[in-house]
Amino acid sequence: MITIISYAPVWKTMREKCITQYELLHRGIDNRTLDTLRKNGNMTLYTLEKICKALDCNPEEVVEFTEDEDNTSERE
């Protein structure tokens, strides 16, 4: 199985807290980071910490990890 990173929780958290992407920019989150979130890309723990501080939330409200059961690893 392959672990899939999803930032779907961050968009839900933003909606619940009525925080826009524009407001995140003013809180120190740059466009490149927002693009990474949109594309479910990789980010550092430092960036995750910045997002959590900007949204006043916990990491599980920003990112989730799921297993892709359709793909098998090469070891299996």
Side-chain angles (χ1 to χ4, degrees):
M1 287 188 262
I2 297 173
T3 300
I4 305 293
I5 296 171
S6 171
Y7 295 108
V10 76
W11 307 114
K12 179 181 177 191
T13 300
M14 288 172 62
R15 278 191 305 276
E16 289 172 353
K17 294 180 178 256
C18 299
I19 296 174
T20 65
Q21 291 181 46
Y22 181 75
E23 191 167 344
L24 279 184
L25 290 170
H26 285 281
R27 294 182 183 194
I29 306 301
D30 61 30
N31 275 322
R32 187 170 43 165
T33 299
L34 291 174
D35 191 50
T36 298
L37 291 171
R38 280 186 221 99
K39 295 178 181 177
N40 291 324
N42 294 322
M43 71 171 64
T44 65
L45 288 175
Y46 175 73
T47 302
L48 178 59
E49 179 185 18
K50 281 177 54 177
I51 293 168
C52 288
K53 283 182 179 181
L55 293 174
D56 188 30
C57 70
N58 295 314
E60 63 270 10
E61 295 173 280
V62 174
V63 62
E64 67 184 355
F65 299 91
T66 58
E67 298 292 329
D68 182 4
E69 296 178 9
D70 292 335
N71 293 315
T72 57
S73 69
E74 294 177 3
R75 292 185 219 169
E76 293 183 343

